[in-house]
Amino acid sequence: MQLGLSVSDSDVSSFTPLVVLELADDTKAEAITWLLNRIRGKQQNGGAELLVDQLLFPAQDGQKSNQNVFVVGSTLQRLLKGAEDVGLFKEFQDGTMRGFTYANRESFKDFYGDGEGFLSDAECQYIIKHELDTLRAKNEEHVPGYPKVKLYPGKSVVRRLQSKGVLVQYFPLHNKEDLKRLSFSWYKKIKLSFQPLDDIRHYFGEGLALYFGFLEYFTFALVPMAFIGIPYYLFDWEDYDKYVLFAVFNLVWSTVFLEVWKRCSATLAYGWGTLSHKKAFEEPRAGFHGALGFNPITGREEPVYPSSKRQLRIYLVSVPFVLLCLYLSFYVMMVYFDMENWAISIYNENPNLATGILLFVPSIIYAVVIEIMNLLYRYAAEFLTNWGEPEILLFNFVNCFASLFYIAFVMQDMVLLRQSLATLLITSQILNQVMEAFLPYWLQRRRNKKVHKRMRRMMGDKELPLLEQVQLETEMNTYLGTFDDYLEQFLLFGYVSLFSCVYPLAAVLVVLNNITEVYSDAFKMCHVFKRPFSEPAANIGVWQLAFETMSIISVVTNCALIGLSSQVKAYFPESETQMILIVVAIEHVLLAFKFILAFVIPDVPKHIQVKLAKLEFDSLEALKKRVSTNFTWLTICDEGGTPSKFHPSNISFNLAERRRS
Amino acid sequence: MQLGLSVSDSDVSSFTPLVVLELADDTKAEAITWLLNRIRGKQQNGGAELLVDQLLFPAQDGQKSNQNVFVVGSTLQRLLKGAEDVGLFKEFQDGTMRGFTYANRESFKDFYGDGEGFLSDAECQYIIKHELDTLRAKNEEHVPGYPKVKLYPGKSVVRRLQSKGVLVQYFPLHNKEDLKRLSFSWYKKIKLSFQPLDDIRHYFGEGLALYFGFLEYFTFALVPMAFIGIPYYLFDWEDYDKYVLFAVFNLVWSTVFLEVWKRCSATLAYGWGTLSHKKAFEEPRAGFHGALGFNPITGREEPVYPSSKRQLRIYLVSVPFVLLCLYLSFYVMMVYFDMENWAISIYNENPNLATGILLFVPSIIYAVVIEIMNLLYRYAAEFLTNWGEPEILLFNFVNCFASLFYIAFVMQDMVLLRQSLATLLITSQILNQVMEAFLPYWLQRRRNKKVHKRMRRMMGDKELPLLEQVQLETEMNTYLGTFDDYLEQFLLFGYVSLFSCVYPLAAVLVVLNNITEVYSDAFKMCHVFKRPFSEPAANIGVWQLAFETMSIISVVTNCALIGLSSQVKAYFPESETQMILIVVAIEHVLLAFKFILAFVIPDVPKHIQVKLAKLEFDSLEALKKRVSTNFTWLTICDEGGTPSKFHPSNISFNLAERRRS
């Protein structure tokens, strides 16, 4: 933990503020007192044992600020104990990663003195979030002052307050100094270098660092494909034998790229301690509804989410909804084809520059409509089903690629396919950059200026940087997680790989897009959105599977495109059958090769496999020893015989003597 | 451990003999003395601390028996400590499986009194084998009496003696009483029931029990296919729409069957304690050559096998050898086709019963030659490369199926395919049963009688059952492991699935074969071969992958066969292309369905996943606690302050008092 906000802010709070809690302006005083007492209370009494202070904004001009804004911090000792609670893995003396324990803190590498700097900022904030989320109701039947906000023993207090609108939001504060350092090394230096992933992880946590790692890796992986694609465009290489070469290269490349990424991500996650830190052992999300039950793995009492209920909801709500949306999507596609035909007919009647440009208009409109539909579906699904990420993925895939599949395999119009692919890709890239970074940035700047002006008016010349910072960040938009960012990369990967042999230039466009994407994403994380809580992640999760599935589908589509091409057909003038059989055979060989390759390349590098196995071995050994120690104690008590397996006996002897005196 | 051999054998040995060691007849006396001392020596001096006795066969008639036969046994305590060394998992009080420790023995379920009956016979013998195998040279430079049999610190003594021919063999003894009970419940009862897998595991260990479990499961899984296949044969259903149905059923069935087997095998292996008992933690095979090194996982000093050396050997020896054998195999296939043509031409010249029978002769001869080549390759590969199981698998696959693929897809002769498939399948089944069980049984019986007569002649009326049993079992053949048995099932699975839509009766034949196979395999394990050492196994290993690969290949072959059939072609009279495209599309859908199915069905049942996760969680917690306990002890020593984290203080207080008095 680095003391970024100096103690000179002592007029406002007496500790380093890490997390901001904003309660509704009209919150009842007894509820506030109760909540603060719970947050400050000792752990043995069910409190979180954290530090919390109210921020008092000077009221002025009748334009009153919300007075119920609090900052939460913690003592270093409490954070270290919290690190044990959340199960952080840290580098041990011997270079391996071990579960951190407070008692054993001094055996960890990088632990000096009282542990200052041992935990990163993101980890400290994650720990505070965890402690707040697991602040559970005891015997209270409702929140004091709010008879309708019911509680039951074990219910997460913070979550209940949030769902009832009493707690407006809580978020981690930026650390201005660290942020300046990070943004300088990340995107302000104009030199070709890798991103500072460790610093990103230090500041934003593992989930986001892995996303940026993947983005960078994916972009580098596309560079060779882009280089090979350029001559195809420049020299108009329309020979399909060259395209076949390109498709084969593309396929092998995408397989190797995805397999090697697994190894890279395992290496990163091991170093960050998240590879050994299993999700299953963690406390469930504080937001889980449902009754209390026992977690069968950890044996802890915690809310259990009924799985069958979730299943039912998925079938009753999601399936009809997805079907309706897919129908809409197909309907829009058909309208697009009508527009396309209309544009072509106008061009054919009177071919000039204006009607030539008109040819591209339907594609552009369709691309914009697709983006809007994706966005609408995203929010509707979030609202309706809350958990529908796989459906969102599926819908986006169909929405983006349905028209391309239709053009390629039903209409078999390669010229239109290429044009449509290019328009869709370019339009969606431009839209994304605007929607994701520039628009929010512009809105944010306007807001910043307003807040700055208001603060100046309220406080005159007084320098209260913390108050102003909290005021600014409170009004920033919230970053909703990496899902949308991965989804964008997934769709780009689809544009590059599915029809790569028709439009090899796609890789060039995606590389160019991603270079700016790194900068705009970095910028939006640092300056447009609220700082997000760290999300421990060991890999990119479902996206690995999604990318792999896409690369398998791309083998099939590329082989089919090659088979459809007139050039390949020309090689087999008398027998179409023979041609098809050869293409199918090649496809099978490619698929088999892909699977063998995926099987042969180990997912986790050997040296990390060894370290993980060693951790497991040591753990099992420790479990054996622990049980046998307990047992030895029992035999000493029960039988009173001479202990035969009692190693540290002279130490306890000294101890007993000291007690006696 | 059950005391099967009664103590009335006290004239021969004073303990229950479990393992027989046979040294060469001319072994030098000092080597024997040295070896026995090492086996009997205390563990702290690098001995095995086992019991060992010489068996003295009364010499007579100048036909002298080998006098250097020893039986090895152990005290119960030593076995229990050995169970900890080998890392056995046993059921704990709370119903979960835990690594066994001697200190904590009484907390395990089924541990009563001094632990009599806690370990199975197979486990006791496995432990003794492990202790003998890990008996390592200390400072001896060579075996006493054999200056040329060099030793170096850490070299496995038993393995060196074995490789130099001083130790002829060592094997576990049968337990006559248990064997009688087992064979009664296994194959002597004439009633339809499942095999007693737990008893088999108890007597032969997990590896063999899993094989018999798989054999039974596979046979049951084939029964529905066999039932559906019979009407195809009886009513001559040559319509390919019916065959299509059969092929689809076959495919879904084989996928589900293989996925469900994984769950069954996980359930079995969990109950037997091998699922948690990781191979990586075990000591390496005593036979590993190479210098001493540190196992990076366990931190133990043990011989390390250089991986690059093995790689090199595989490339330099195996690859040319496999290529040569494949060439031979293809050559034999071509000779078979010549013979086939010759037989057909003779039949066409003069069609009668004799020439009709002659039509089958080439296939039968070819089937016999295939079996002989498989056998030869098996031994040659063992001799040349020692580890070449994947190559053996590949060679057998090509050898058995090359002609069928050639007939199906190059000659496209479905009648010959069906005839050839039937002949190959039936011939290989008959040959296998004869070679595997009846021939060895017949040889064994002759040998038994000879030994019995000799013993009677030597000892007159004296009843010395142990001497006679050892004499008999020493001369029995050695069972070489489950590889050949699995290989046979793998090839049968190939016959059933690859061309199932052409010859649906194959399933019936395989079911009939396997019913007798269970009996003949059980019989051969109990009465034909020496008892094998138990081989702990958590699953069927590489065979799962092999069967899955076969079922994927079978999707492709069946779809291709359907596409080739004249009936399907008749549906698309004007467009062959359309037909092929439809068949290819169906194939892709089937393959995708197969992968989704494999992905959706979890490999390990939920309740066992939970138990495994709980073990891992408890282990990691124990590791945390252990490290922190050590740390607490250290602070007490170093700083001498009041201990704050010292729980069992009053117990140690009592202890100290007792010591003082």
Side-chain angles (χ1 to χ4, degrees):
Chain A
M1 195 187 75
Q2 306 218 331
L3 291 167
L5 290 158
S6 66
V7 201
S8 70
D9 282 326
S10 58
D11 51 323
V12 178
S13 88
S14 53
F15 52 85
T16 311
L18 287 169
V19 170
V20 174
L21 274 180
E22 185 185 1
L23 297 180
D25 203 9
D26 57 353
T27 309
K28 300 245 166 65
E30 58 252 63
I32 295 178
T33 316
W34 169 77
L35 181 64
L36 295 188
N37 282 339
R38 289 299 310 273
I39 293 176
R40 288 182 184 132
K42 291 269 171 215
Q43 274 190 292
Q44 54 260 50
N45 305 328
E49 222 170 321
L50 299 173
L51 308 173
V52 57
D53 249 345
Q54 190 161 12
L55 286 187
L56 294 167
F57 294 96
Q60 211 186 25
D61 297 359
Q63 202 186 15
K64 210 174 132 247
S65 314
N66 181 358
Q67 292 299 314
N68 292 327
V69 177
F70 301 86
V71 285
V72 184
S74 171
T75 63
L76 194 52
Q77 201 196 27
R78 177 73 189 88
L79 285 174
L80 290 171
K81 285 184 175 163
E84 184 175 341
D85 295 346
V86 299
L88 284 194
F89 270 68
K90 287 281 181 182
E91 195 173 354
F92 204 61
Q93 283 166 337
D94 61 358
T96 60
M97 305 299 294
R98 292 274 154 124
F100 177 78
T101 55
Y102 182 72
N104 195 37
R105 58 192 180 281
E106 310 217 342
S107 305
F108 283 83
K109 220 177 148 185
D110 301 326
F111 194 100
Y112 306 112
D114 56 356
E116 185 76 36
F118 180 68
L119 297 174
S120 74
D121 246 29
E123 281 167 344
C124 292
Q125 290 168 337
Y126 176 74
I127 291 164
I128 289 182
K129 177 179 194 294
H130 175 263
E131 300 297 343
L132 288 176
D133 281 346
T134 55
L135 199 62
R136 299 190 188 286
K138 291 184 293 185
N139 304 318
E140 301 95 337
E141 291 196 342
H142 59 85
V143 174
Y146 293 87
K148 283 190 177 164
V149 182
K150 298 272 184 249
L151 290 172
Y152 54 85
K155 174 67 193 174
S156 164
V157 167
V158 163
R159 187 67 184 197
R160 177 50 52 100
L161 290 176
Q162 207 170 14
S163 68
K164 294 293 176 185
V166 180
L167 175 62
V168 179
Q169 60 176 342
Y170 68 121
F171 60 90
L173 264 182
H174 271 298
N175 179 326
K176 281 187 167 175
E177 238 172 87
D178 284 359
L179 186 62
K180 201 182 273 177
R181 244 196 321 270
L182 175 66
S183 50
F184 183 76
S185 69
W186 196 359
Y187 63 89
K188 285 195 175 152
K189 276 189 301 188
I190 311 197
K191 67 164 193 169
L192 209 70
S193 69
F194 296 105
Q195 295 173 88
L197 288 184
D198 282 325
D199 296 342
I200 298 171
R201 177 245 168 184
H202 204 273
Y203 195 84
F204 287 113
E206 294 80 18
L208 215 71
L210 267 182
Y211 164 68
F212 281 101
F214 180 74
L215 177 60
E216 179 174 285
Y217 178 84
F218 178 44
T219 309
F220 273 104
L222 283 176
V223 167
M225 245 150 65
F227 266 108
I228 299 178
I230 290 173
Y232 281 86
Y233 185 76
L234 291 182
F235 307 123
D236 249 355
W237 282 350
E238 298 277 310
D239 317 320
Y240 268 81
D241 51 349
K242 293 207 182 69
Y243 277 170
V244 171
L245 271 183
F246 185 77
V248 170
F249 173 78
N250 190 343
L251 153 80
V252 174
W253 189 251
S254 74
T255 307
V256 173
F257 139 68
L258 287 170
E259 288 300 314
V260 173
W261 166 251
K262 276 193 229 167
R263 296 167 65 88
C264 291
S265 108
T267 310
L268 286 174
Y270 182 78
W272 295 340
T274 46
L275 195 62
S276 330
H277 179 166
K278 294 278 162 66
K279 280 271 171 192
F281 303 162
E282 288 172 20
E283 298 250 332
R285 289 175 23 143
F288 271 117
H289 313 294
L292 271 188
F294 280 95
N295 179 326
I297 294 164
T298 59
R300 292 179 192 139
E301 203 184 19
E302 54 193 36
V304 174
Y305 193 92
S307 169
S308 56
K309 199 171 146 192
R310 199 193 140 196
Q311 297 287 330
L312 196 70
R313 198 186 53 194
I314 286 178
Y315 288 113
L316 289 185
V317 180
S318 304
V319 173
F321 176 67
V322 170
L323 290 179
L324 180 74
C325 290
L326 287 181
Y327 173 77
L328 266 177
S329 168
F330 281 112
Y331 187 80
V332 168
M333 186 177 89
M334 287 305 154
V335 172
Y336 158 60
F337 286 131
D338 285 347
M339 276 165 57
E340 193 71 55
N341 284 336
W342 170 77
I344 290 173
S345 68
I346 287 184
Y347 177 78
N348 285 345
E349 269 174 33
N350 180 15
N352 60 27
L353 183 71
T355 53
I357 291 174
L358 187 70
L359 277 179
F360 286 92
V361 171
S363 293
I364 293 174
I365 294 177
Y366 182 54
V368 173
V369 171
I370 283 180
E371 287 296 317
I372 293 171
M373 284 174 69
N374 280 350
L375 212 69
L376 286 179
Y377 183 82
R378 174 97 179 79
Y379 287 106
E382 183 105 11
F383 179 73
L384 275 175
T385 58
N386 196 21
W387 274 76
E389 295 194 345
E391 293 109 81
I392 294 174
L393 195 66
L394 183 71
F395 176 78
N396 276 266
F397 179 84
V398 172
N399 205 15
C400 290
F401 299 119
S403 66
L404 297 177
F405 274 94
Y406 191 86
I407 295 171
F409 301 116
V410 181
M411 295 163 69
Q412 301 196 6
D413 182 343
M414 293 304 138
V415 177
L416 181 59
L417 177 62
R418 195 173 311 164
Q419 183 211 310
S420 192
L421 180 60
T423 323
L424 275 180
L425 182 57
I426 294 170
T427 314
S428 80
Q429 285 181 352
I430 293 172
L431 277 180
N432 265 316
Q433 299 272 3
V434 171
M435 295 290 294
E436 241 184 80
F438 298 113
L439 191 68
Y441 175 64
W442 180 71
L443 291 173
Q444 188 54 39
R445 267 187 69 149
R446 266 190 16 171
R447 217 179 288 138
N448 277 11
K449 275 189 192 147
K450 232 164 61 187
V451 170
H452 198 74
K453 222 188 278 173
R454 176 149 44 103
M455 294 299 285
R456 287 282 76 78
R457 210 168 45 233
M458 284 201 296
M459 297 181 286
D461 304 328
K462 267 192 285 180
E463 274 285 329
L464 289 174
L466 178 62
L467 283 188
E468 184 168 342
Q469 188 194 351
V470 171
Q471 194 78 344
L472 276 176
E473 292 186 16
T474 308
E475 296 187 14
M476 278 175 153
N477 284 332
T478 305
Y479 179 65
L480 292 171
T482 50
F483 183 85
D484 286 307
D485 294 315
Y486 278 118
L487 183 62
E488 192 191 334
Q489 294 302 315
F490 173 72
L491 296 175
L492 291 179
F493 182 60
Y495 286 121
V496 172
S497 59
L498 286 180
F499 305 100
S500 54
C501 70
V502 174
Y503 190 54
L505 207 63
V508 181
L509 291 175
V510 173
V511 168
L512 290 178
N513 175 74
N514 276 6
I515 289 172
T516 58
E517 182 88 24
V518 169
Y519 287 95
S520 67
D521 278 355
F523 180 75
K524 99 181 169 198
M525 290 317 303
C526 292
H527 294 290
V528 177
F529 287 112
K530 278 193 193 83
R531 185 174 184 175
F533 277 113
S534 152
E535 196 69 63
N539 49 54
I540 62 172
V542 69
W543 293 106
Q544 185 78 40
L545 186 68
F547 275 79
E548 276 165 16
T549 309
M550 182 74 93
S551 84
I552 290 170
I553 297 175
S554 76
V555 176
V556 181
T557 53
N558 278 304
C559 286
L561 282 178
I562 290 168
L564 281 177
S565 71
S566 45
Q567 283 90 339
V568 170
K569 280 177 185 163
Y571 280 121
F572 302 91
E574 71 276 13
S575 166
E576 200 180 17
T577 310
Q578 201 190 346
M579 186 271 291
I580 294 177
L581 288 178
I582 288 176
V583 170
V584 169
I586 290 174
E587 186 223 345
H588 279 75
V589 171
L590 288 176
L591 281 176
F593 179 65
K594 199 173 164 60
F595 280 104
I596 292 171
L597 211 59
F599 184 77
V600 165
I601 302 175
D603 287 357
V604 177
K606 183 78 190 162
H607 68 281
I608 290 179
Q609 276 178 31
V610 167
K611 283 178 179 171
L612 289 177
K614 183 168 158 53
L615 175 69
E616 201 178 344
F617 175 77
D618 287 349
S619 305
L620 284 171
E621 289 293 305
L623 182 65
K624 282 186 188 173
K625 292 286 146 48
R626 192 192 62 169
V627 180
S628 69
T629 309
N630 294 350
F631 180 72
T632 315
W633 287 117
L634 287 175
T635 45
I636 295 170
C637 274
D638 295 352
E639 302 170 20
T642 321
S644 60
K645 283 207 98 177
F646 190 61
H647 299 308
S649 47
N650 42 351
I651 300 177
S652 58
F653 188 83
N654 290 341
L655 171 71
E657 253 185 336
R658 199 168 291 127
R659 289 219 156 177
R660 210 171 265 195
S661 59
Chain B
M1 196 186 76
Q2 306 217 330
L3 291 167
L5 290 156
S6 67
V7 200
S8 69
D9 281 328
S10 59
D11 52 322
V12 178
S13 89
S14 53
F15 53 85
T16 312
L18 287 169
V19 171
V20 174
L21 273 179
E22 184 185 0
L23 296 180
D25 204 9
D26 57 352
T27 309
K28 301 245 165 66
E30 58 253 61
I32 295 178
T33 317
W34 169 78
L35 181 63
L36 295 188
N37 282 339
R38 288 300 310 273
I39 294 176
R40 287 183 184 131
K42 291 270 173 217
Q43 276 189 289
Q44 54 261 50
N45 305 330
E49 222 169 321
L50 299 173
L51 307 172
V52 57
D53 249 347
Q54 190 159 14
L55 286 188
L56 294 168
F57 294 96
Q60 212 187 22
D61 298 359
Q63 202 185 13
K64 206 171 136 256
S65 313
N66 181 357
Q67 293 299 314
N68 292 327
V69 177
F70 302 85
V71 284
V72 183
S74 170
T75 62
L76 194 51
Q77 200 197 28
R78 178 72 190 90
L79 285 175
L80 290 171
K81 286 185 174 163
E84 184 176 339
D85 295 345
V86 299
L88 283 195
F89 271 68
K90 287 282 182 181
E91 195 173 354
F92 204 61
Q93 284 165 335
D94 61 358
T96 60
M97 305 299 294
R98 292 274 155 124
F100 177 78
T101 54
Y102 181 73
N104 195 36
R105 59 193 180 281
E106 310 217 342
S107 305
F108 283 83
K109 221 178 147 184
D110 301 327
F111 194 100
Y112 306 111
D114 56 355
E116 185 77 36
F118 180 68
L119 297 173
S120 74
D121 245 31
E123 281 167 344
C124 294
Q125 290 168 336
Y126 176 73
I127 292 164
I128 290 182
K129 176 180 194 295
H130 175 264
E131 300 297 342
L132 288 176
D133 280 347
T134 54
L135 199 62
R136 301 191 186 285
K138 290 184 295 186
N139 304 319
E140 301 95 336
E141 290 196 344
H142 58 84
V143 174
Y146 293 87
K148 282 190 178 164
V149 181
K150 297 272 184 252
L151 289 172
Y152 54 85
K155 175 68 192 172
S156 164
V157 167
V158 162
R159 187 68 185 198
R160 176 51 52 101
L161 290 175
Q162 207 169 14
S163 68
K164 294 293 177 186
V166 180
L167 175 62
V168 179
Q169 60 177 342
Y170 67 122
F171 60 91
L173 264 181
H174 271 297
N175 180 325
K176 281 187 169 176
E177 238 171 87
D178 284 359
L179 186 62
K180 200 182 274 176
R181 244 197 320 270
L182 175 66
S183 50
F184 183 77
S185 69
W186 197 359
Y187 63 89
K188 284 193 178 153
K189 277 189 298 189
I190 312 199
K191 67 164 193 171
L192 209 71
S193 70
F194 296 105
Q195 295 172 86
L197 288 185
D198 282 327
D199 296 343
I200 298 171
R201 176 245 167 182
H202 205 273
Y203 195 84
F204 286 113
E206 293 80 18
L208 216 70
L210 267 182
Y211 164 69
F212 280 101
F214 179 75
L215 178 59
E216 179 174 286
Y217 177 84
F218 178 44
T219 310
F220 273 102
L222 283 176
V223 167
M225 245 150 64
F227 266 108
I228 298 178
I230 290 173
Y232 281 86
Y233 185 75
L234 291 182
F235 306 123
D236 249 358
W237 281 350
E238 298 276 311
D239 318 319
Y240 268 81
D241 50 349
K242 293 209 182 65
Y243 276 170
V244 171
L245 271 183
F246 186 77
V248 170
F249 173 79
N250 190 343
L251 153 80
V252 174
W253 189 252
S254 74
T255 307
V256 173
F257 138 70
L258 288 171
E259 288 300 313
V260 174
W261 165 251
K262 275 193 230 166
R263 296 166 65 87
C264 291
S265 108
T267 310
L268 286 174
Y270 182 78
W272 294 340
T274 46
L275 195 62
S276 330
H277 179 165
K278 295 276 163 67
K279 281 270 171 195
F281 304 161
E282 288 171 20
E283 297 251 334
R285 291 176 24 143
F288 271 115
H289 313 293
L292 268 191
F294 280 96
N295 179 326
I297 293 163
T298 59
R300 292 178 192 142
E301 203 184 19
E302 55 194 33
V304 174
Y305 193 93
S307 169
S308 57
K309 200 171 146 192
R310 199 194 140 199
Q311 296 287 332
L312 195 70
R313 198 186 52 192
I314 286 179
Y315 288 113
L316 288 185
V317 180
S318 305
V319 173
F321 177 65
V322 170
L323 290 179
L324 180 73
C325 290
L326 286 180
Y327 173 77
L328 267 177
S329 168
F330 282 112
Y331 188 80
V332 168
M333 186 177 89
M334 288 304 154
V335 172
Y336 158 61
F337 287 130
D338 285 346
M339 276 165 57
E340 194 70 54
N341 286 335
W342 169 77
I344 290 172
S345 67
I346 286 184
Y347 176 77
N348 287 344
E349 271 174 32
N350 180 16
N352 60 25
L353 184 70
T355 51
I357 291 174
L358 187 70
L359 277 180
F360 287 91
V361 172
S363 293
I364 294 174
I365 294 177
Y366 182 54
V368 174
V369 172
I370 283 180
E371 288 296 317
I372 293 172
M373 284 174 69
N374 280 350
L375 212 69
L376 285 181
Y377 183 82
R378 175 98 180 79
Y379 287 109
E382 184 105 13
F383 179 73
L384 275 175
T385 57
N386 196 21
W387 273 74
E389 294 192 347
E391 294 108 80
I392 294 174
L393 194 66
L394 183 71
F395 176 79
N396 275 266
F397 179 84
V398 172
N399 206 15
C400 289
F401 299 119
S403 67
L404 298 177
F405 274 94
Y406 191 85
I407 296 171
F409 300 116
V410 181
M411 295 163 70
Q412 301 196 5
D413 182 342
M414 294 303 139
V415 178
L416 181 59
L417 177 62
R418 195 172 311 165
Q419 182 212 309
S420 191
L421 179 60
T423 323
L424 274 181
L425 182 57
I426 295 170
T427 315
S428 80
Q429 285 181 352
I430 294 173
L431 277 181
N432 265 316
Q433 299 273 3
V434 170
M435 295 288 294
E436 241 183 80
F438 298 114
L439 191 68
Y441 175 64
W442 179 71
L443 291 173
Q444 189 53 39
R445 267 188 67 149
R446 266 189 16 171
R447 217 179 288 139
N448 277 11
K449 275 189 193 148
K450 232 164 62 187
V451 169
H452 197 74
K453 223 188 275 174
R454 176 146 46 99
M455 295 299 287
R456 286 284 76 78
R457 208 169 47 233
M458 284 200 297
M459 297 181 287
D461 304 327
K462 269 194 285 181
E463 275 284 330
L464 288 174
L466 179 62
L467 282 188
E468 184 168 341
Q469 187 195 351
V470 171
Q471 195 79 345
L472 275 175
E473 292 185 18
T474 309
E475 295 187 14
M476 277 175 154
N477 284 333
T478 305
Y479 178 67
L480 292 171
T482 49
F483 183 85
D484 287 307
D485 294 314
Y486 278 118
L487 184 62
E488 193 191 334
Q489 294 302 316
F490 173 72
L491 296 175
L492 291 179
F493 182 60
Y495 286 120
V496 173
S497 59
L498 286 180
F499 304 100
S500 52
C501 70
V502 174
Y503 189 54
L505 207 62
V508 181
L509 291 174
V510 172
V511 168
L512 290 178
N513 175 74
N514 276 7
I515 289 172
T516 57
E517 182 88 24
V518 169
Y519 287 96
S520 67
D521 277 356
F523 179 76
K524 100 183 168 197
M525 289 318 302
C526 293
H527 294 290
V528 176
F529 287 114
K530 279 194 194 81
R531 185 174 183 175
F533 277 112
S534 154
E535 196 68 63
N539 49 54
I540 62 172
V542 69
W543 294 105
Q544 184 77 40
L545 185 67
F547 275 78
E548 275 165 18
T549 309
M550 182 74 94
S551 84
I552 290 171
I553 297 175
S554 76
V555 175
V556 180
T557 54
N558 278 304
C559 287
L561 282 178
I562 289 168
L564 281 177
S565 71
S566 46
Q567 283 90 336
V568 171
K569 280 177 185 162
Y571 280 121
F572 302 91
E574 71 276 16
S575 167
E576 199 179 17
T577 310
Q578 201 190 347
M579 187 272 291
I580 294 178
L581 289 179
I582 288 175
V583 170
V584 169
I586 290 174
E587 186 224 344
H588 280 75
V589 171
L590 288 176
L591 281 176
F593 179 66
K594 200 172 164 59
F595 280 105
I596 292 171
L597 210 60
F599 184 77
V600 166
I601 301 176
D603 288 357
V604 177
K606 183 77 191 165
H607 69 281
I608 291 179
Q609 275 179 31
V610 167
K611 283 178 178 171
L612 289 177
K614 184 169 158 51
L615 176 70
E616 200 178 343
F617 175 77
D618 288 350
S619 304
L620 284 171
E621 287 293 304
L623 182 65
K624 281 186 189 174
K625 292 286 149 47
R626 192 192 63 171
V627 179
S628 69
T629 309
N630 292 351
F631 180 73
T632 315
W633 287 117
L634 288 174
T635 45
I636 295 170
C637 273
D638 295 352
E639 302 169 20
T642 320
S644 60
K645 283 205 97 177
F646 190 60
H647 299 306
S649 48
N650 43 350
I651 301 177
S652 59
F653 189 85
N654 289 342
L655 171 71
E657 253 183 338
R658 200 170 288 128
R659 289 219 155 176
R660 209 170 264 192
S661 60

